[in-house]
Short mmCIF file of all heavy atoms in Angstrom, two decimals:
data_model
loop_
_atom_site.label_atom_id
_atom_site.label_comp_id
_atom_site.label_asym_id
_atom_site.label_seq_id
_atom_site.Cartn_x
_atom_site.Cartn_y
_atom_site.Cartn_z
N LEU A 22 117.59 115.86 359.05
CA LEU A 22 118.55 116.95 359.17
C LEU A 22 117.97 118.22 358.58
O LEU A 22 117.24 118.17 357.59
CB LEU A 22 119.83 116.63 358.39
CG LEU A 22 120.56 115.35 358.73
CD1 LEU A 22 121.61 115.06 357.67
CD2 LEU A 22 121.21 115.49 360.08
N LEU A 23 118.31 119.34 359.18
CA LEU A 23 117.94 120.64 358.63
C LEU A 23 119.21 121.41 358.35
O LEU A 23 120.05 121.61 359.24
CB LEU A 23 117.07 121.43 359.63
CG LEU A 23 116.84 122.90 359.30
CD1 LEU A 23 116.07 123.06 358.00
CD2 LEU A 23 116.14 123.60 360.44
N ASN A 24 119.38 121.81 357.11
CA ASN A 24 120.47 122.71 356.76
C ASN A 24 119.98 124.11 357.09
O ASN A 24 119.14 124.67 356.38
CB ASN A 24 120.83 122.58 355.28
CG ASN A 24 122.02 123.43 354.89
OD1 ASN A 24 122.24 124.51 355.45
ND2 ASN A 24 122.78 122.96 353.92
N GLU A 25 120.46 124.67 358.18
CA GLU A 25 119.96 125.96 358.65
C GLU A 25 120.31 127.11 357.71
O GLU A 25 119.64 128.13 357.72
CB GLU A 25 120.45 126.22 360.07
CG GLU A 25 119.85 125.25 361.06
CD GLU A 25 120.38 125.44 362.47
OE1 GLU A 25 121.49 125.98 362.64
OE2 GLU A 25 119.66 125.04 363.41
N ARG A 26 121.34 126.93 356.88
CA ARG A 26 121.70 127.98 355.93
C ARG A 26 120.71 128.05 354.77
O ARG A 26 120.38 129.13 354.29
CB ARG A 26 123.11 127.75 355.39
CG ARG A 26 124.20 127.95 356.42
CD ARG A 26 125.59 127.82 355.79
NE ARG A 26 125.76 126.60 355.01
CZ ARG A 26 126.26 125.47 355.47
NH1 ARG A 26 126.67 125.39 356.70
NH2 ARG A 26 126.39 124.42 354.69
N THR A 27 120.25 126.88 354.32
CA THR A 27 119.38 126.85 353.13
C THR A 27 117.91 126.60 353.47
O THR A 27 117.05 126.83 352.64
CB THR A 27 119.83 125.74 352.16
OG1 THR A 27 119.65 124.46 352.79
CG2 THR A 27 121.27 125.93 351.74
N GLY A 28 117.65 126.07 354.67
CA GLY A 28 116.29 125.73 355.05
C GLY A 28 115.81 124.41 354.48
O GLY A 28 114.65 124.05 354.64
N ARG A 29 116.72 123.66 353.85
CA ARG A 29 116.34 122.36 353.27
C ARG A 29 116.45 121.26 354.30
O ARG A 29 117.35 121.24 355.13
CB ARG A 29 117.24 122.03 352.08
CG ARG A 29 117.00 122.98 350.92
CD ARG A 29 117.71 122.54 349.69
NE ARG A 29 117.11 121.29 349.21
CZ ARG A 29 117.61 120.57 348.23
NH1 ARG A 29 118.71 120.96 347.63
NH2 ARG A 29 117.03 119.47 347.85
N TYR A 30 115.51 120.31 354.22
CA TYR A 30 115.49 119.14 355.08
C TYR A 30 116.04 117.93 354.34
O TYR A 30 115.85 117.80 353.13
CB TYR A 30 114.06 118.81 355.53
CG TYR A 30 113.54 119.72 356.59
CD1 TYR A 30 112.84 120.88 356.25
CD2 TYR A 30 113.72 119.42 357.93
CE1 TYR A 30 112.36 121.72 357.23
CE2 TYR A 30 113.23 120.26 358.92
CZ TYR A 30 112.55 121.41 358.56
OH TYR A 30 112.06 122.23 359.54
N TRP A 31 116.68 117.04 355.08
CA TRP A 31 117.21 115.80 354.54
C TRP A 31 116.81 114.68 355.48
O TRP A 31 116.83 114.85 356.70
CB TRP A 31 118.74 115.85 354.44
CG TRP A 31 119.19 116.95 353.54
CD1 TRP A 31 119.40 118.26 353.88
CD2 TRP A 31 119.42 116.87 352.15
NE1 TRP A 31 119.75 118.99 352.80
CE2 TRP A 31 119.79 118.16 351.71
CE3 TRP A 31 119.37 115.84 351.23
CZ2 TRP A 31 120.09 118.43 350.39
CZ3 TRP A 31 119.69 116.11 349.92
CH2 TRP A 31 120.04 117.40 349.51
N GLN A 32 116.46 113.53 354.92
CA GLN A 32 116.09 112.39 355.74
C GLN A 32 117.05 111.24 355.46
O GLN A 32 117.31 110.91 354.31
CB GLN A 32 114.66 111.94 355.46
CG GLN A 32 114.23 110.82 356.38
CD GLN A 32 112.75 110.52 356.26
OE1 GLN A 32 112.01 111.21 355.58
NE2 GLN A 32 112.32 109.47 356.93
N LEU A 33 117.58 110.66 356.53
CA LEU A 33 118.46 109.50 356.43
C LEU A 33 117.76 108.30 357.05
O LEU A 33 117.07 108.46 358.07
CB LEU A 33 119.76 109.76 357.20
CG LEU A 33 120.61 110.95 356.76
CD1 LEU A 33 121.74 111.16 357.76
CD2 LEU A 33 121.16 110.70 355.37
N ASN A 34 117.97 107.14 356.48
CA ASN A 34 117.45 105.94 357.13
C ASN A 34 118.28 105.66 358.38
O ASN A 34 119.22 106.40 358.69
CB ASN A 34 117.42 104.75 356.16
CG ASN A 34 118.79 104.31 355.71
OD1 ASN A 34 119.81 104.61 356.31
ND2 ASN A 34 118.81 103.58 354.60
N ALA A 35 117.95 104.61 359.10
CA ALA A 35 118.63 104.33 360.38
C ALA A 35 120.14 104.15 360.19
O ALA A 35 120.92 104.68 360.98
CB ALA A 35 118.01 103.09 361.03
N THR A 36 120.54 103.46 359.15
CA THR A 36 121.97 103.26 358.92
C THR A 36 122.65 104.57 358.55
O THR A 36 123.74 104.87 359.05
CB THR A 36 122.21 102.19 357.83
OG1 THR A 36 121.59 100.97 358.24
CG2 THR A 36 123.68 101.97 357.58
N GLY A 37 122.02 105.37 357.72
CA GLY A 37 122.56 106.68 357.38
C GLY A 37 122.72 107.55 358.61
O GLY A 37 123.70 108.28 358.76
N GLY A 38 121.75 107.48 359.50
CA GLY A 38 121.83 108.24 360.76
C GLY A 38 123.00 107.77 361.61
O GLY A 38 123.69 108.59 362.23
N GLN A 39 123.25 106.46 361.63
CA GLN A 39 124.39 105.94 362.38
C GLN A 39 125.70 106.41 361.77
O GLN A 39 126.64 106.76 362.48
CB GLN A 39 124.33 104.41 362.42
CG GLN A 39 123.19 103.89 363.26
CD GLN A 39 122.98 102.39 363.11
OE1 GLN A 39 123.51 101.76 362.22
NE2 GLN A 39 122.18 101.84 364.00
N VAL A 40 125.77 106.43 360.44
CA VAL A 40 126.97 106.91 359.76
C VAL A 40 127.20 108.37 360.15
O VAL A 40 128.32 108.76 360.50
CB VAL A 40 126.85 106.76 358.23
CG1 VAL A 40 127.98 107.49 357.50
CG2 VAL A 40 126.82 105.29 357.84
N LEU A 41 126.16 109.18 360.11
CA LEU A 41 126.28 110.59 360.46
C LEU A 41 126.78 110.75 361.90
O LEU A 41 127.71 111.52 362.15
CB LEU A 41 124.94 111.30 360.29
CG LEU A 41 124.91 112.75 360.78
CD1 LEU A 41 125.84 113.63 359.96
CD2 LEU A 41 123.50 113.28 360.77
N ARG A 42 126.17 110.05 362.84
CA ARG A 42 126.58 110.19 364.25
C ARG A 42 128.04 109.80 364.44
O ARG A 42 128.78 110.46 365.17
CB ARG A 42 125.68 109.34 365.14
CG ARG A 42 124.33 110.00 365.41
CD ARG A 42 123.52 109.26 366.46
NE ARG A 42 123.08 107.95 366.02
CZ ARG A 42 122.09 107.72 365.16
NH1 ARG A 42 121.43 108.73 364.64
NH2 ARG A 42 121.76 106.48 364.84
N GLN A 43 128.46 108.74 363.75
CA GLN A 43 129.86 108.32 363.89
C GLN A 43 130.81 109.34 363.27
O GLN A 43 131.89 109.60 363.81
CB GLN A 43 130.05 106.93 363.28
CG GLN A 43 129.38 105.86 364.12
CD GLN A 43 129.61 104.47 363.58
OE1 GLN A 43 130.63 104.20 362.94
NE2 GLN A 43 128.67 103.58 363.83
N LEU A 44 130.42 109.93 362.15
CA LEU A 44 131.23 111.00 361.56
C LEU A 44 131.36 112.16 362.53
O LEU A 44 132.45 112.70 362.74
CB LEU A 44 130.59 111.52 360.27
CG LEU A 44 130.84 110.77 358.99
CD1 LEU A 44 130.01 111.38 357.87
CD2 LEU A 44 132.32 110.79 358.64
N LEU A 45 130.25 112.56 363.11
CA LEU A 45 130.26 113.68 364.05
C LEU A 45 131.07 113.37 365.31
O LEU A 45 131.59 114.28 365.95
CB LEU A 45 128.83 114.08 364.42
CG LEU A 45 127.99 114.62 363.26
CD1 LEU A 45 126.55 114.88 363.72
CD2 LEU A 45 128.60 115.89 362.68
N ASP A 46 131.19 112.07 365.64
CA ASP A 46 132.00 111.65 366.78
C ASP A 46 133.48 111.53 366.42
O ASP A 46 134.30 111.15 367.24
CB ASP A 46 131.50 110.32 367.34
CG ASP A 46 130.20 110.46 368.10
OD1 ASP A 46 129.84 111.59 368.51
OD2 ASP A 46 129.52 109.43 368.31
N GLY A 47 133.81 111.82 365.15
CA GLY A 47 135.21 111.83 364.73
C GLY A 47 135.73 110.54 364.13
O GLY A 47 136.92 110.40 363.89
N HIS A 48 134.85 109.58 363.87
CA HIS A 48 135.29 108.31 363.29
C HIS A 48 135.55 108.47 361.79
O HIS A 48 134.88 109.25 361.12
CB HIS A 48 134.25 107.22 363.53
CG HIS A 48 134.00 106.97 364.98
ND1 HIS A 48 134.88 106.29 365.79
CD2 HIS A 48 132.97 107.33 365.78
CE1 HIS A 48 134.40 106.23 367.02
NE2 HIS A 48 133.24 106.86 367.04
N GLU A 49 136.50 107.71 361.29
CA GLU A 49 136.85 107.72 359.88
C GLU A 49 136.00 106.71 359.11
O GLU A 49 135.51 105.73 359.69
CB GLU A 49 138.33 107.39 359.71
CG GLU A 49 139.26 108.38 360.39
CD GLU A 49 139.30 109.72 359.69
OE1 GLU A 49 139.12 109.76 358.45
OE2 GLU A 49 139.51 110.74 360.39
N ALA A 50 135.86 106.93 357.81
CA ALA A 50 135.02 106.08 356.96
C ALA A 50 135.36 104.58 357.06
O ALA A 50 134.44 103.76 357.14
CB ALA A 50 135.08 106.55 355.52
N PRO A 51 136.64 104.18 357.05
CA PRO A 51 136.93 102.73 357.14
C PRO A 51 136.38 102.09 358.42
O PRO A 51 135.86 100.97 358.38
CB PRO A 51 138.45 102.66 357.08
CG PRO A 51 138.86 103.90 356.35
CD PRO A 51 137.86 104.94 356.80
N ARG A 52 136.50 102.79 359.53
CA ARG A 52 135.98 102.24 360.80
C ARG A 52 134.46 102.15 360.76
O ARG A 52 133.87 101.17 361.19
CB ARG A 52 136.43 103.10 361.96
CG ARG A 52 135.87 102.61 363.28
CD ARG A 52 136.35 103.42 364.44
NE ARG A 52 135.65 103.02 365.66
CZ ARG A 52 135.86 103.54 366.82
NH1 ARG A 52 136.76 104.49 366.97
NH2 ARG A 52 135.18 103.14 367.87
N ILE A 53 133.83 103.19 360.21
CA ILE A 53 132.37 103.19 360.12
C ILE A 53 131.90 102.03 359.24
O ILE A 53 130.97 101.31 359.58
CB ILE A 53 131.86 104.55 359.57
CG1 ILE A 53 132.23 105.69 360.52
CG2 ILE A 53 130.35 104.50 359.34
CD1 ILE A 53 132.01 107.07 359.95
N ALA A 54 132.58 101.85 358.11
CA ALA A 54 132.21 100.76 357.19
C ALA A 54 132.37 99.40 357.86
O ALA A 54 131.51 98.52 357.69
CB ALA A 54 133.04 100.84 355.92
N ALA A 55 133.43 99.22 358.62
CA ALA A 55 133.64 97.94 359.30
C ALA A 55 132.52 97.68 360.30
O ALA A 55 132.02 96.55 360.41
CB ALA A 55 134.99 97.94 360.00
N GLU A 56 132.09 98.71 361.01
CA GLU A 56 130.99 98.55 361.97
C GLU A 56 129.67 98.25 361.26
O GLU A 56 128.89 97.42 361.72
CB GLU A 56 130.88 99.79 362.84
CG GLU A 56 132.05 99.93 363.80
CD GLU A 56 131.96 101.15 364.69
OE1 GLU A 56 130.85 101.72 364.86
OE2 GLU A 56 133.01 101.53 365.23
N VAL A 57 129.43 98.93 360.14
CA VAL A 57 128.21 98.67 359.37
C VAL A 57 128.22 97.23 358.85
O VAL A 57 127.21 96.52 358.93
CB VAL A 57 128.05 99.68 358.21
CG1 VAL A 57 126.97 99.25 357.23
CG2 VAL A 57 127.75 101.08 358.75
N ALA A 58 129.36 96.79 358.32
CA ALA A 58 129.46 95.42 357.80
C ALA A 58 129.18 94.40 358.89
O ALA A 58 128.44 93.43 358.67
CB ALA A 58 130.85 95.20 357.20
#
């Protein structure tokens, strides 16, 4: 990830990336956690 405001980069592992994509798709934390589990 690149924070375009600050210029800082962030790296997520594969699971973190999946969490991010699901958040961006509008899913709530409990649903994301159930899918990860």
Side-chain angles (χ1 to χ4, degrees):
L22 304 168
L23 168 63
N24 184 328
E25 294 177 336
R26 291 185 309 266
T27 65
R29 292 189 67 188
Y30 284 91
W31 300 86
Q32 185 171 354
L33 300 172
N34 65 19
T36 302
Q39 291 170 346
V40 170
L41 173 65
R42 281 189 293 284
Q43 290 183 29
L44 277 175
L45 295 176
D46 286 342
H48 300 285
E49 299 289 330
R52 177 177 173 180
I53 297 169
E56 290 180 20
V57 168

